[in-house]
Amino acid sequence: MEIIAMNRFKGTLKYIRLLILITIIAAVLLTLFVIGLIGFAKWKGAPPLAVPQSTIFYAEDGTKIGENHHGGKRYWVPLEDISPYAIQATLSIEDRKFFEHHGFDFKRIMAAIIADIKAMAKVQGASTITQQYARNLFLSYEKTWFRKWNEAIYTIRLEANYSKEQILEGYLNTIYYGHGVYGIEAAANYYFGKSAKELSLAEAAMLAGIPKGPSYYSPLVDEQRAKERQKIVLRSMVENGAISEKEAKEAEKVRLHYSKGQEMLTQSIAPYFQDVVKTILRTKLGLDEETIEMGGLRVYTSLDVDMQAIAEKQIETIISKQSDIQAALVAMEPKTGEVKALVGGRDYTKSPFNRAVQAERQPGSTFKPFLYYAALKHGFTPSTELRSELTTFTLEDGTTYTPHNFNNYYANDSITLAQAIALSDNVFAVKTHLLIGQEELVQTAKQLGITSKLKAVPSLALGTSPVKVIDMVQAYSTIANNGKKIEPVFIKKIVNYEGKVIYEHKPVHEQILDPDLAFVTTHLMTGMFDPALNDYSTVTGQSIISEITRPYAGKSGTTKTDSWMIGYTPQLVAGVWTGYDRDQTIDKIEEKQYAKKIWVRFMEESLEGKKVKSFEPTDGVVGVYVDPHNGKLATDSCPTKRFSYYIAGTEPTESCTDHFHEKKKKKKKPKEKDSWLKHLFDWF
């Protein structure tokens, strides 16, 4: 018996040793397997944390002006911009041990298995936040062992390469809350019309309960059922020590107000402007369509929402509702090139064609400042005189060209360059164009940023080659900036979903024009608002002078089919075009004034409250008083004087004598002695 017992003991001991050995081997293999998985996860590197998200566009003051979203609303916000209640509610209901485990909660897994076995059905989930995030990011929802394996691998990769805070932030930004809404920010926006940072305890608990069954627990589907789920979330928060019993009960009693599935109202601002921004993202910055549409970008633009509203209001108010005439406006800051407002048409919903950047129209006399800058470069001065009379020019090829002034008004005498630009004399312009050489104007315009094809013909001086509004405003901005190169800036900065700046505008400081000549050109353009230059005709700004409260430089232009007004102060440049899309002629008198009226009211309202600034003369110019009708130095005999600027050394030296004999000495009447009664009234 003892031998049998001993053999049994030895057998048992051998079995125990074998079991221990197997256990050790299994533990070693499991350890090696885990180490291998971690090593594999490290070798594979950090997987991307983002899913497709809405790209959002912002104005310069941070106002949200628009967004892209296809198939769902998705935003990414950092953890610090999420209500602590929302974070605690999610952790309490989804994964209380989140900060303790390494991606898998084995105790929870075992408890779930036992519960499922008892119920003979799937009644309890065991997925951690990391596992759910892995599923949201990379995997389909098919119920296969292969998917489960991939989910485990992704879970390990996430845990091995990211901090718990990064994983939690990613989860909260990608979880589905129903109704096409992804992420806590979009959910707060959609259900409550507010940001995730502003969520109350009651609201956060309500949202935290939705992901378990978005179509089942949505308060917009069944508020009572959602309310019961909210109570479970609040109870979990109490058990997790996140809130007190009292706070939970108070939150349960709060009556929530939903935005009825309507997103927080964000009017789509400046749709034409946004179209330009998207084009720049694609063509100049090289971003693909998918990144632009759903890359979670934050695009910070130069738009001034107040100026944009003013521009749209003035166009809507001034143009008759019965008129089919179209309009475009571009406003730009001359020092930086930042586009502050852009309108491409009267109604984007009816016509998204952007007339501010796509259409090419004849600029008329707004082209003349380029001509006169080139003329100044060739020795002209504001006092240079040419005769204004009906003239037929015979060209080198034997053809003839006869320009006409507006309403066939001619001085039939010599006029100065300063008068010619203020009165918009076409004969003077064509003579100047032919004298300096027709290629000069083409080169100057191209230098200033005109991208359209230009024909070196006599009529180019009168703006017969079609150009874009954006190019014209850019050119005027360069002149306003004393010749420093200006390019339109729409995008100031782009931030990706991780908060990294992937693009930031760098200003260009290139002097492309002579600064002194540019300043003299600017001063010449103040003449359209100065009645002192009125001689045989009225200055072209006469109709809006009464509305002006500060110094402006500018030029208007009119053709049969187009009406323009472009002008500026040191702070702001704006260009307005009005006309018909199908080259219909502008025949009504009031329609010919639309561009000027829109421009002056836009400028005045946009600059209201801002400091009144004059154009600062450059170092190489001198200013003298001249008789505006002949450009000679003004004397006491001249009835009208105008302060004009010249390149130093080119100012007039000859004094005006035209009015010398007109001045008659008047005999002084003896001064009447004032009565004591008048003195008494004067005293009062």
Side-chain angles (χ1 to χ4, degrees):
M1 291 293 290
E2 289 182 4
I3 294 172
I4 295 172
M6 183 63 70
N7 288 335
R8 285 180 179 175
F9 174 74
K10 287 180 179 179
T12 303
L13 187 61
K14 188 178 180 180
Y15 176 76
I16 292 171
R17 285 175 180 171
L18 182 61
L19 189 62
I20 291 171
L21 180 61
I22 292 172
T23 303
I24 291 171
I25 292 171
V28 170
L29 290 175
L30 181 61
T31 302
L32 290 173
F33 178 72
V34 171
I35 292 172
L37 280 178
I38 295 172
F40 175 75
K42 284 289 187 183
W43 174 74
K44 287 287 287 184
L49 288 178
V51 294
Q53 302 158 46
S54 301
T55 288
I56 303 177
F57 302 94
Y58 297 96
E60 64 171 357
D61 64 354
T63 301
K64 178 180 166 184
I65 61 174
E67 65 179 300
N68 289 335
H69 50 78
H70 295 275
K73 307 285 192 299
R74 305 172 189 258
Y75 312 119
W76 190 286
V77 289
L79 210 56
E80 56 266 27
D81 286 342
I82 300 173
S83 165
Y85 291 130
I87 295 171
Q88 289 299 332
T90 301
L91 288 171
S92 297
I93 196 65
E94 295 293 343
D95 192 354
R96 296 186 192 179
K97 305 271 185 165
F98 174 71
F99 284 99
E100 298 172 23
H101 62 66
H102 298 288
F104 304 95
D105 189 342
F106 293 105
K107 287 183 180 180
R108 191 176 173 194
I109 291 171
M110 291 305 298
I113 291 172
I114 293 169
D116 290 349
I117 291 172
K118 285 181 178 179
M120 297 300 290
K122 183 73 174 173
V123 295
Q124 188 169 317
S127 294
T128 63
I129 279 178
T130 311
Q131 287 175 280
Q132 292 181 57
Y133 187 27
R135 191 183 309 134
N136 291 342
L137 281 175
F138 314 112
L139 307 167
S140 68
Y141 287 88
E142 57 181 353
K143 295 182 179 181
T144 65
W145 285 108
F146 182 71
R147 184 195 67 77
K148 285 287 187 183
W149 171 254
N150 277 334
E151 181 184 309
I153 294 298
Y154 276 119
T155 300
I156 294 170
R157 286 181 65 191
L158 286 171
E159 289 281 345
N161 291 284
Y162 292 106
S163 69
K164 285 290 188 179
E165 287 74 18
Q166 287 175 305
I167 294 171
L168 180 59
E169 179 181 302
Y171 174 78
L172 285 166
N173 278 292
T174 55
I175 193 168
Y176 185 55
Y177 288 91
H179 306 287
V181 174
Y182 294 83
I184 189 67
E185 177 72 7
N189 195 332
Y190 185 85
Y191 286 100
F192 299 112
K194 59 174 62 175
S195 68
K197 186 182 254 184
E198 301 170 313
L199 289 171
S200 67
L201 172 57
E203 292 166 340
M206 177 61 75
L207 292 183
I210 295 174
K212 181 177 175 65
S215 61
Y216 189 76
Y217 290 116
S218 166
L220 303 181
V221 174
D222 189 324
E223 187 174 6
Q224 186 56 42
R225 192 159 54 210
K227 193 72 179 173
E228 291 301 318
R229 178 68 177 161
Q230 179 202 42
K231 290 179 183 178
I232 294 173
V233 174
L234 289 168
R235 186 59 41 203
S236 296
M237 294 179 75
V238 173
E239 293 171 0
N240 206 33
I243 59 173
S244 66
E245 188 76 39
K246 181 182 177 183
E247 288 176 305
K249 288 181 178 179
E250 288 176 351
E252 285 180 20
K253 295 176 183 176
V254 174
R255 185 176 180 181
L256 297 177
H257 299 282
Y258 306 101
S259 51
K260 301 301 180 186
Q262 295 298 317
E263 188 180 17
M264 186 166 46
L265 290 178
T266 304
Q267 184 182 3
S268 183
I269 300 170
Y272 290 105
F273 180 94
Q274 289 188 52
D275 280 354
V276 178
V277 171
K278 292 172 189 176
T279 300
I280 293 171
L281 291 174
R282 185 171 56 253
T283 58
K284 292 188 177 180
L285 302 184
L287 298 179
D288 58 73
E289 203 67 39
E290 185 178 354
T291 301
I292 295 170
E293 294 296 332
M294 294 297 290
L297 303 178
R298 301 295 180 267
V299 182
Y300 297 90
T301 74
S302 59
L303 187 76
D304 184 309
V305 290
D306 293 330
M307 287 191 191
Q308 180 68 27
I310 293 168
E312 292 173 359
K313 180 187 74 174
Q314 294 303 341
I315 289 172
E316 183 181 3
T317 303
I318 291 169
I319 297 179
S320 170
K321 300 291 188 295
Q322 283 70 47
S323 176
D324 291 328
I325 205 167
Q326 276 293 347
L329 179 149
V330 176
M332 189 182 295
E333 194 175 82
K335 296 293 182 186
T336 63
E338 292 182 6
V339 177
K340 299 301 179 185
L342 184 144
V343 179
R346 291 175 64 186
D347 190 334
Y348 183 84
T349 59
K350 292 180 180 178
S351 174
F353 177 68
N354 197 331
R355 296 156 189 84
V357 299
Q358 292 176 284
E360 292 186 335
R361 305 298 294 241
Q362 291 184 340
S365 293
T366 58
F367 217 66
K368 288 176 181 174
F370 312 155
L371 169 69
Y372 292 130
Y373 170 84
L376 293 172
K377 197 166 66 170
H378 280 74
F380 279 55
T381 78
S383 293
T384 296
E385 290 186 303
L386 293 175
R387 190 169 178 81
S388 170
E389 59 187 359
L390 183 62
T391 305
T392 297
F393 297 90
T394 302
L395 308 179
E396 291 181 358
D397 61 0
T399 59
T400 59
Y401 176 61
T402 306
H404 296 273
N405 281 352
F406 179 70
N407 283 340
N408 288 313
Y409 287 149
Y410 304 93
N412 292 316
D413 200 350
S414 293
I415 62 171
T416 67
L417 188 156
Q419 282 183 300
I421 191 171
L423 305 172
S424 207
D425 190 282
N426 289 337
V427 176
F428 193 108
V430 174
K431 282 186 177 180
T432 302
H433 185 38
L434 295 175
L435 283 170
I436 67 174
Q438 296 175 68
E439 284 295 335
E440 279 296 317
L441 178 53
V442 174
Q443 292 173 12
T444 300
K446 290 295 182 183
Q447 189 178 17
L448 284 164
I450 302 300
T451 58
S452 305
K453 291 182 179 180
L454 302 174
K455 295 181 180 179
V457 294
S459 63
L460 180 61
L462 310 184
T464 54
S465 285
V467 294
K468 297 175 181 176
V469 176
I470 187 72
D471 288 353
M472 291 296 288
V473 176
Q474 173 186 347
Y476 272 61
S477 293
T478 298
I479 297 172
N481 200 28
N482 287 336
K484 285 185 180 177
K485 186 177 182 179
I486 288 298
E487 291 185 351
V489 176
F490 288 86
I491 303 172
K492 299 172 76 172
K493 185 172 68 173
I494 303 174
V495 179
N496 69 8
Y497 73 94
E498 294 178 313
K500 294 178 182 177
V501 177
I502 62 172
Y503 169 81
E504 193 160 14
H505 172 70
K506 304 294 181 188
V508 177
H509 302 287
E510 181 185 355
Q511 192 75 43
I512 61 172
L513 301 183
D514 182 288
D516 300 322
L517 293 176
F519 173 77
V520 173
T521 304
T522 288
H523 195 260
L524 283 169
M525 283 194 279
T526 64
M528 76 168 288
F529 307 110
D530 189 352
L533 289 163
N534 185 348
D535 193 355
Y536 67 94
S537 184
T538 57
V539 290
T540 51
Q542 187 73 40
S543 61
I544 57 174
I545 288 175
S546 61
E547 298 187 57
I548 285 173
T549 63
R550 60 182 68 222
Y552 290 105
K555 189 74 190 76
S556 59
T558 305
T559 71
K560 290 182 179 179
T561 56
D562 306 276
S563 180
W564 295 69
M565 178 64 212
I566 313 175
Y568 53 89
T569 68
Q571 305 109 303
L572 185 65
V573 181
V576 178
W577 165 86
T578 57
Y580 290 93
D581 282 336
R582 300 297 179 185
D583 291 332
Q584 181 179 335
T585 58
I586 303 175
D587 300 319
K588 297 177 181 178
I589 295 174
E590 63 270 20
E591 289 185 342
K592 293 178 181 179
Q593 293 298 315
Y594 283 159
K596 287 179 184 175
K597 287 182 178 179
I598 292 168
W599 177 84
V600 72
R601 291 174 192 176
F602 168 79
M603 293 294 286
E604 284 291 315
E605 191 171 347
S606 295
L607 294 169
E608 188 177 354
K610 292 181 172 61
K611 185 179 179 181
V612 175
K613 290 187 177 182
S614 299
F615 299 103
E616 290 288 333
T618 51
D619 294 336
V621 301
V622 294
V624 294
Y625 281 101
V626 299
D627 184 313
H629 303 299
N630 56 35
K632 297 177 182 178
L633 290 173
T635 65
D636 291 341
S637 303
C638 295
T640 308
K641 301 175 185 179
R642 188 172 194 265
F643 196 73
S644 297
Y645 285 96
Y646 298 79
I647 302 298
T650 68
E651 66 272 19
T653 55
E654 183 182 352
S655 296
C656 172
T657 58
D658 291 0
H659 310 283
F660 182 76
H661 298 293
E662 296 175 10
K663 187 177 181 181
K664 296 180 180 180
K665 293 183 180 179
K666 294 183 180 180
K667 195 173 183 180
K668 290 185 179 180
K669 293 182 179 180
K671 189 176 181 181
E672 295 181 4
K673 190 174 181 180
D674 293 333
S675 67
W676 67 269
L677 187 60
K678 183 178 184 304
H679 280 299
L680 180 63
F681 277 103
D682 288 345
W683 185 81
F684 276 107

